[in-house]
Amino acid sequence: MSEHEIVLQVDNLEASYGPIMAIRGVSLQVRKGQIVTVLGANGAGKTTLLKTISGVLNPRKGQVRLKGEDITGVEPNRTVALGLAHVPEGREIFPLLTVAENVAMGAYSRSDRGEISADEAFVYDTFPILKERRNQAAGTMSGGQQQMLAIGRGLMARPDIMLLDEPSLGLSPLLTQEIFATIANINKERGVTMMLVEQNAAIALSVADYGYVMELGRVVMAEDAETLANSADVQEFYLGQSQQENQRGQRRWKARKTWR
Ligand SMILES: Nc1ncnc2c1ncn2[C@@H]1O[C@H](COP(=O)(O)OP(=O)(O)OP(=O)(O)O)[C@@H](O)[C@H]1O
Ligand SMILES: [Mg+2]
């Protein structure tokens, strides 16, 4: 496949918080049109990886390229203008602004004013609840509604690629299903490439084309989503019937040192 079809290329990325090395030489790529998921237990480095890609954090080493252009260490307001929208863990919406104001802020990096209202219409079509609540303070919405708002705001940047950090966090199973169906739909209908960080491996793998598993700041598996879903290791450690079962599994996974 030719190089221009790679939307995001990460090479040997390292990032730390003072003395704590949170990502230790991560390499990955995301091709145009794909949904790529990054799985891993608490503290594996998933959020740090997304923050370092979007420029919230500066890497110690390594390179990030967006559509072939080097964006290593470039600030988030520039990376969003270049086509990368980061929907952070915990949403980070503006709670005192209205839903409509939050949506509109997603377009701040754009100059094509004419098309912004068409995109707003798409966001409100995708998430009718946002339209209904558009004059309400965003902080008064439920967790699921705030997640929809965060995704809607990200879409307003008209990104080539969206980085989503744990969209299922704090949501009921039903709402999680709904959010993931919408993510798959945005990918299909709008052609937005997605990089999806999740602890809910089952649902992430059900929509993804490709997946990476991270452990202690490193990528320990990289496979087609289907291969990962069928892998005995992933089944044992990440696809348990309950969260407790997965947490137990992940502790066992951590205790195994075969790949280090
Ligand atoms: N602001 C911070 N200061 C110091 N250490 C941090 C900070 N943020 C994260 N870390 C550490 O970096 C490592 C990776 O954390 P990170 O938040 O990237 O993990 P994660 O995979 O997103 O976990 P989770 O699934 O819990 O969100 C962890 O050891 C964590 O304790
Ligand atoms: Mg995280």
Side-chain angles (χ1 to χ4, degrees):
M1 206 173 276
S2 64
E3 179 120 27
H4 71 271
E5 287 177 300
I6 297 172
V7 179
L8 183 70
Q9 173 88 40
V10 173
D11 288 305
N12 257 313
L13 206 61
E14 290 186 7
S16 54
Y17 302 96
I20 302 165
M21 279 277 272
I23 54 173
R24 303 163 176 256
V26 169
S27 299
L28 56 83
Q29 54 179 227
V30 183
R31 294 178 190 281
K32 192 171 157 66
Q34 274 187 329
I35 300 181
V36 169
T37 188
V38 178
L39 308 174
N42 290 122
K46 307 178 300 294
T47 295
T48 306
L49 174 64
L50 293 195
K51 284 183 171 172
T52 312
I53 291 171
S54 69
V56 176
L57 291 174
N58 263 318
R60 278 164 59 119
K61 263 193 195 165
Q63 196 186 42
V64 181
R65 272 176 293 164
L66 180 67
K67 294 176 285 177
E69 190 177 337
D70 188 349
I71 60 155
T72 317
V74 172
E75 291 183 1
N77 59 357
R78 285 284 305 142
T79 52
V80 75
L82 292 170
L84 183 146
H86 180 182
V87 179
E89 192 177 21
R91 292 72 151 150
E92 296 179 21
I93 53 149
F94 300 99
L96 299 177
L97 299 185
T98 65
V99 168
E101 286 164 341
N102 270 276
V103 169
M105 287 201 67
Y108 77 92
S109 67
R110 291 171 59 178
S111 48
D112 55 339
R113 293 284 137 199
E115 299 193 36
I116 289 177
S117 57
D119 287 350
E120 250 168 19
F122 174 77
V123 168
Y124 288 131
D125 272 356
T126 307
F127 302 108
I129 191 74
L130 298 183
K131 189 172 191 176
E132 216 172 278
R133 303 285 172 94
R134 65 188 177 283
N135 296 319
Q136 187 173 322
T140 64
M141 306 245 285
S142 75
Q145 291 162 347
Q146 290 188 24
Q147 183 62 65
M148 293 176 199
L149 177 57
I151 295 172
R153 187 180 61 183
L155 278 174
M156 289 303 295
R158 200 175 261 202
D160 297 294
I161 181 167
M162 240 179 160
L163 312 185
L164 293 166
D165 197 346
E166 299 215 32
S168 78
L169 196 71
L171 304 190
S172 70
L174 194 66
L175 209 44
T176 300
Q177 292 278 0
E178 215 174 282
I179 287 275
F180 273 79
T182 307
I183 290 167
N185 199 46
I186 293 166
N187 168 259
K188 202 160 133 238
E189 300 296 318
R190 286 247 136 174
V192 181
T193 304
M194 303 273 181
M195 184 168 165
L196 186 61
V197 158
E198 259 300 331
Q199 284 203 47
N200 187 332
I203 195 147
L205 290 172
S206 76
V207 299
D209 301 292
Y210 199 84
Y212 295 89
V213 178
M214 280 185 75
E215 186 53 62
L216 298 176
R218 291 192 173 88
V219 169
V220 294
M221 289 180 87
E223 300 280 2
D224 287 341
E226 207 187 323
T227 310
L228 278 183
N230 291 320
S231 125
D233 279 346
V234 171
Q235 282 185 357
E236 181 178 358
F237 301 118
Y238 290 97
L239 297 174
Q241 292 307 301
S242 69
Q243 203 175 357
Q244 289 89 326
E245 208 174 300
N246 280 336
Q247 280 166 359
R248 274 199 303 276
Q250 285 161 18
R251 282 196 293 272
R252 287 198 304 277
W253 169 287
K254 271 187 188 170
R256 265 185 17 165
K257 303 242 190 290
T258 44
W259 50 75
R260 283 190 287 273

